[in-house]
Amino acid sequence: MPSVKIGAVTVGQAPRVDVTADILPLLPGVELLERGGLDGLTREDIAAFQPEEGDYVLVSRLTDGSSVTFAEKYVLPRLQNAITELEDAGCRLILFFCTGDFPDTFQSRVPLLFPGRVLKGMAPAISSRKTAIVNPSPLQKDQSLEKWKLYLQEPVSFAVSPYEGEAGVRQCARQVAETDCDMVILDCIGYTQKMKEIFQEETGKRVILPRTLLARVAMELL
């Protein structure tokens, strides 16, 4: 039986081997094709995409394993190109490897699955008090709280990069453990299964990991 082709779009550079290490075991019989909004660009090119006041901020990974911070507006046309390429390659579903908010302007002949939208539908059903929202950068604090206060009773923002090792993640988890939050949302596709386990170990709270949630929802649509 031939495998099913699905696509994945990262706002950074593809392939996202850090993400697929956790999700491919959850996608049996699937051929995953990847494209990125920063594909083909050098770090010098990306430096021109630095966010200014009022910009929507994204953080993502490059193929060399490092991370970059940039304004969403610069990659939107490139993300559309990635979608079109994946459609033309025969993908029947396209996953977004980013939990950020995106405008409803992308054109696609196949379903686009945004983990951020899945999270916003799921989280209010299982959190009744304060919720810890963990983002990669302090620059995302205001936009994160602005988003989540529409869906959660009392979101509390924390920041730790998933791209700089597990020591910082454990330190952040210990900070969350000192709060009375009843759930943790790791609000970036870059957080790993191991990082989820660190938060569970340190906090004893429910922890939602977007990358594995995304894969499980995708399987329902195939």
Side-chain angles (χ1 to χ4, degrees):
M1 182 176 177
S3 60
V4 175
K5 283 185 181 180
I6 67 173
V9 175
T10 175
V11 296
Q13 291 180 339
R16 287 295 302 270
V17 295
D18 60 313
V19 178
T20 55
D22 281 334
I23 72 167
L24 284 180
L26 304 176
L27 297 170
V30 165
E31 179 185 358
L32 185 68
L33 307 182
E34 299 180 60
R35 299 290 187 277
L38 300 179
D39 285 355
L41 299 182
T42 66
R43 185 171 285 276
E44 289 71 28
D45 295 330
I46 299 166
F49 297 170
Q50 286 297 305
E52 300 173 346
E53 186 175 354
D55 283 338
Y56 190 85
V57 178
L58 296 174
V59 178
S60 193
R61 184 183 188 273
L62 303 183
T63 51
D64 65 4
S66 64
S67 65
V68 286
T69 302
F70 51 98
E72 179 189 68
K73 62 186 180 185
Y74 294 112
V75 295
L76 291 176
R78 298 177 64 87
L79 295 176
Q80 179 61 65
N81 291 340
I83 291 168
T84 302
E85 288 180 15
L86 291 169
E87 286 180 329
D88 292 345
C91 295
R92 58 184 293 182
L93 171 70
I94 297 174
L95 316 180
F96 259 69
F97 280 178
C98 181
T99 63
D101 284 340
F102 296 93
D104 293 322
T105 55
F106 292 131
Q107 301 295 313
S108 178
R109 302 185 300 274
V110 301
L112 303 177
L113 186 54
F114 297 91
R117 296 178 186 178
V118 176
L119 282 169
K120 287 186 287 189
M122 177 182 177
I126 56 179
S127 178
S128 58
R129 295 188 290 110
K130 289 183 180 179
T131 304
I133 309 296
V134 184
N135 295 110
S137 170
L139 294 176
Q140 296 173 306
K141 178 178 180 179
D142 290 343
Q143 71 187 33
S144 176
L145 291 176
E146 190 70 19
K147 173 178 74 173
W148 282 108
K149 71 182 183 181
L150 300 176
Y151 302 94
L152 297 170
Q153 196 171 60
E154 193 173 350
V156 184
S157 180
F158 297 84
V160 63
S161 173
Y163 306 116
E164 296 177 7
E166 294 175 359
V169 171
R170 189 170 295 278
Q171 181 178 3
C172 181
R174 288 171 177 166
Q175 293 173 354
V176 174
E178 295 175 357
T179 72
D180 59 349
C181 294
D182 66 342
M183 186 172 73
V184 181
I185 297 176
L186 301 179
D187 196 6
C188 176
I189 208 76
Y191 296 112
T192 67
Q193 178 65 34
K194 175 62 176 176
M195 293 173 185
K196 174 181 178 176
E197 292 166 3
I198 289 172
F199 269 89
Q200 289 173 322
E201 175 188 336
E202 294 289 346
T203 70
K205 304 176 190 297
R206 295 186 294 272
V207 182
I208 299 180
L209 182 66
R211 59 171 60 176
T212 48
L213 176 63
L214 178 66
R216 291 186 170 98
V217 174
M219 286 304 296
E220 288 295 315
L221 301 177
L222 297 178

